[in-house]
Amino acid sequence: MRNIFLIMRREFLVQARKKSFIVITVLAPILLLLAGSAISYIFKSDDPISNIAIIDENQLFNNSFKNTDKVFYEYHTSNDFNALKDSLTKTNHLDAILQISKDHKDPLLLNIEDKIKLYSNKTLNQSLLHTLENNINKTIEYNRKLQLGISQSNIDLIKSNISLTSINLINGHTNANTTLKEIISLSLMYIILMFTIIYGTRVMRSIMEEKNNRVVEIIISSVKPFQLMLGKILGTTLVALTQFSIWILITLSIIFIGNYLLGDSVIVTPQQNIFHAIFSLETQLQIKEALTNLLDLNIPLIVFIFLFYFFVGYLFYSSFFAAIGAAVDNDTETQQFLPIVVIPLLIGAYGSISIINNPDSHVAFWLSIVPFTAPMVMVTRSFYDIPTGDLLLSMFSMIISVFIMISIAGKIYRIGILIYGKKVTLKEIIKWIKQS
């Protein structure tokens, strides 16, 4: 046990003292924010400026299309159609022509779909098409109601926009903030997936390097191969947990400080006045709503489940990576074994996405119990009131599976670490496990 602790301590200190560790720990949250902002900017800036010509022979859609920052509408008569077609095909000043022909025998516009034509000189983006369809449909519905003798006041009374919120009688929680829960739960799931692969690969390469340099022959003269493997895995795990703990503290600090600066009362402190001067009222309300929704979550349980399942999940999968590193001599040979590790991780990731709509389904339950998928799935389910029985059973399953996997990896490591210049097959690895 003492040897395991010494190896774990050395592995942790070597990696934690690297400049790369400090840089990543400090810059990773900033880089994530910048990446999110860049993606948001790309989505917004990707919509080109469009000029649309409207020919409405019914004179019903003149007020349906409003100019925006990205889309500009021009109204024309049917006499301009040929000139507009020439402009559309020969110049870049016009992007599309929306022609709505008139049918005198169809006052309710029941067959108007056959009378609507959209001409363009390129592939129009889907958001623009959706906007055009939405405006046309709303105008048609409004016109039909008027034709049927329904007044504007009654039309307004007819409209309804009810949003249901279910209340769990067992714990009093509601199903509100679903979008926020989906975004954060899937983000944490992807963090576990990404860092399990990153740190697992780091363990594998470290073992391969020591094996190829023959350093391991000297080391195992003083410690057992199993102790060396477990010490390396635990040391790397502590490095990852240290980073996550720092990031969690930073995130929670930002949430609580931001909630304080926004304030709830009319009388605010000088610090709050500075915050209010930077952001508009609308932005402040949006930030306040997001922070309030975050604080309504069961943060202690979510943090506990995230750290626990990253810890046991990483121990489980890093044992795979350690066994692969001991069994092969170079990166090329690792390719035949890596799918054994990566495919279950991907099943867990995509399984987490599939259970968002029903986190208490049978599929969600079994994915939570199976150790290959449980780390990702349970982190996702932590935002949706996991039954206590499911949580305890999943934790028990993961702990037992970790011990079994470390034992199997140790048997592979004990033999593979001293084998050089031989291409190992899966059949031989199974034989090592049986022999040990």
Side-chain angles (χ1 to χ4, degrees):
M1 191 68 184
R2 182 174 178 274
N3 289 335
I4 295 175
F5 174 77
L6 291 174
I7 296 168
M8 177 185 70
R9 181 175 177 273
R10 177 190 174 279
E11 195 73 20
F12 173 80
L13 292 177
V14 167
Q15 295 192 40
R17 287 173 177 172
K18 289 181 179 179
K19 290 183 179 179
S20 58
F21 172 82
I22 299 173
V23 171
I24 292 174
T25 303
V26 174
L27 292 183
I30 300 173
L31 292 176
L32 285 174
L33 288 174
L34 291 176
S37 301
I39 292 171
S40 177
Y41 174 77
I42 290 171
F43 274 109
K44 290 181 179 179
S45 62
D46 191 47
D47 292 336
I49 295 176
S50 302
N51 294 296
I52 313 295
I54 308 293
I55 299 177
D56 176 22
E57 297 179 3
N58 298 274
Q59 298 297 312
L60 296 174
F61 299 87
N62 290 340
N63 297 321
S64 301
F65 302 97
K66 305 294 183 182
N67 291 337
T68 65
D69 294 337
K70 297 290 184 179
V71 184
F72 298 92
Y73 300 101
E74 296 178 359
Y75 291 91
H76 298 268
T77 65
S78 56
N79 296 329
D80 301 328
F81 180 66
N82 290 328
L84 290 171
K85 282 180 65 177
D86 291 338
S87 177
L88 186 65
T89 55
K90 297 178 181 179
T91 69
N92 295 322
H93 300 301
L94 194 62
D95 298 294
I97 302 171
L98 179 63
Q99 184 184 37
I100 307 173
S101 302
K102 189 171 185 178
D103 187 350
H104 297 281
K105 299 179 181 180
D106 186 22
L108 289 177
L109 307 177
L110 298 176
N111 301 311
I112 195 171
E113 187 171 356
D114 298 330
K115 303 294 182 181
I116 299 176
K117 303 293 181 184
L118 180 63
Y119 305 93
S120 67
N121 55 10
K122 60 184 178 181
T123 302
L124 299 177
N125 66 72
Q126 293 299 312
S127 62
L128 175 59
L129 289 174
H130 177 73
T131 300
L132 293 174
E133 291 170 353
N134 190 45
N135 290 337
I136 292 171
N137 287 325
K138 284 184 176 180
T139 303
I140 292 173
E141 291 175 4
Y142 176 77
N143 180 75
R144 286 173 180 171
K145 291 170 184 175
L146 292 180
Q147 291 291 328
L148 293 172
I150 305 175
S151 64
Q152 178 60 47
S153 59
N154 288 332
I155 290 175
D156 294 335
L157 290 174
I158 290 172
K159 294 179 180 179
S160 176
N161 185 24
I162 294 176
S163 178
L164 294 176
T165 300
S166 66
I167 302 173
N168 191 323
L169 292 178
I170 297 176
N171 52 33
H173 294 168
T174 68
N175 67 339
N177 314 323
T178 53
T179 303
L180 182 68
K181 290 179 181 179
E182 290 175 8
I183 294 172
I184 300 179
S185 62
L186 293 179
S187 298
L188 292 180
M189 179 274 293
Y190 275 116
I191 287 174
I192 285 187
L193 172 67
M194 180 175 63
F195 277 86
T196 297
I197 294 176
I198 291 173
Y199 282 102
T201 304
R202 185 178 295 183
V203 170
M204 181 181 70
R205 293 185 182 280
S206 174
I207 292 172
M208 286 173 55
E209 183 180 347
E210 291 180 353
K211 178 180 177 179
N212 291 329
N213 293 338
R214 303 296 176 92
V215 175
V216 72
E217 295 179 0
I218 302 173
I219 297 175
I220 61 174
S221 64
S222 303
V223 298
K224 294 179 180 180
F226 177 79
Q227 294 175 335
L228 177 61
M229 182 198 75
L230 188 58
K232 281 184 167 296
I233 292 173
L234 290 174
T236 309
T237 305
L238 287 178
V239 172
L241 286 176
T242 301
Q243 279 188 327
F244 283 137
S245 299
I246 294 172
W247 293 338
I248 289 171
L249 288 174
I250 292 173
T251 303
L252 292 178
S253 299
I254 292 173
I255 292 173
F256 285 110
I257 292 172
N259 190 59
Y260 164 75
L261 289 177
L262 284 168
D264 292 317
S265 60
V266 177
I267 302 175
V268 295
T269 65
Q271 293 83 1
Q272 291 173 334
N273 275 324
I274 295 173
F275 190 89
H276 287 214
I278 297 174
F279 298 100
S280 65
L281 179 60
E282 183 181 358
T283 304
Q284 292 177 42
L285 293 174
Q286 291 175 349
I287 297 173
K288 179 66 177 178
E289 182 181 5
L291 293 177
T292 302
N293 292 336
L294 283 172
L295 293 174
D296 287 340
L297 298 174
N298 192 346
I299 294 178
L301 178 64
I302 292 170
V303 171
F304 168 75
I305 289 177
F306 175 78
L307 292 177
F308 173 83
Y309 278 94
F310 173 78
F311 179 73
V312 294
Y314 177 74
L315 287 179
F316 182 81
Y317 274 102
S318 62
S319 301
F320 272 106
F321 283 105
I324 293 173
V328 302
D329 291 333
N330 53 67
D331 289 334
T332 304
E333 293 181 14
T334 62
Q335 304 306 313
Q336 63 177 322
F337 298 110
L338 281 179
I340 301 175
V341 184
V342 175
I343 290 176
L345 281 169
L346 294 179
I347 292 174
Y350 288 106
S352 300
I353 298 173
S354 68
I355 67 170
I356 285 291
N357 289 329
N358 190 6
D360 292 328
S361 64
H362 292 297
V363 174
F365 171 78
W366 288 111
L367 288 176
S368 302
I369 302 303
V370 176
F372 295 95
T373 57
M376 284 75 70
V377 173
M378 287 302 290
V379 167
T380 305
R381 292 184 68 192
S382 65
F383 288 78
Y384 299 94
D385 298 328
I386 310 174
T388 305
D390 289 10
L391 177 59
L392 294 177
L393 185 59
S394 176
M395 293 173 67
F396 177 76
S397 172
M398 279 302 306
I399 292 171
I400 296 298
S401 299
V402 165
F403 282 109
I404 294 173
M405 192 59 234
I406 289 176
S407 175
I408 294 173
K411 294 176 181 180
I412 299 172
Y413 188 92
R414 187 172 67 86
I415 299 175
I417 198 68
L418 296 175
I419 294 180
Y420 303 95
K422 180 182 178 183
K423 189 174 182 179
V424 179
T425 63
L426 185 59
K427 184 178 180 181
E428 286 181 288
I429 291 177
I430 295 173
K431 186 178 178 181
W432 294 351
I433 297 172
K434 291 180 179 179
Q435 285 179 344
S436 300

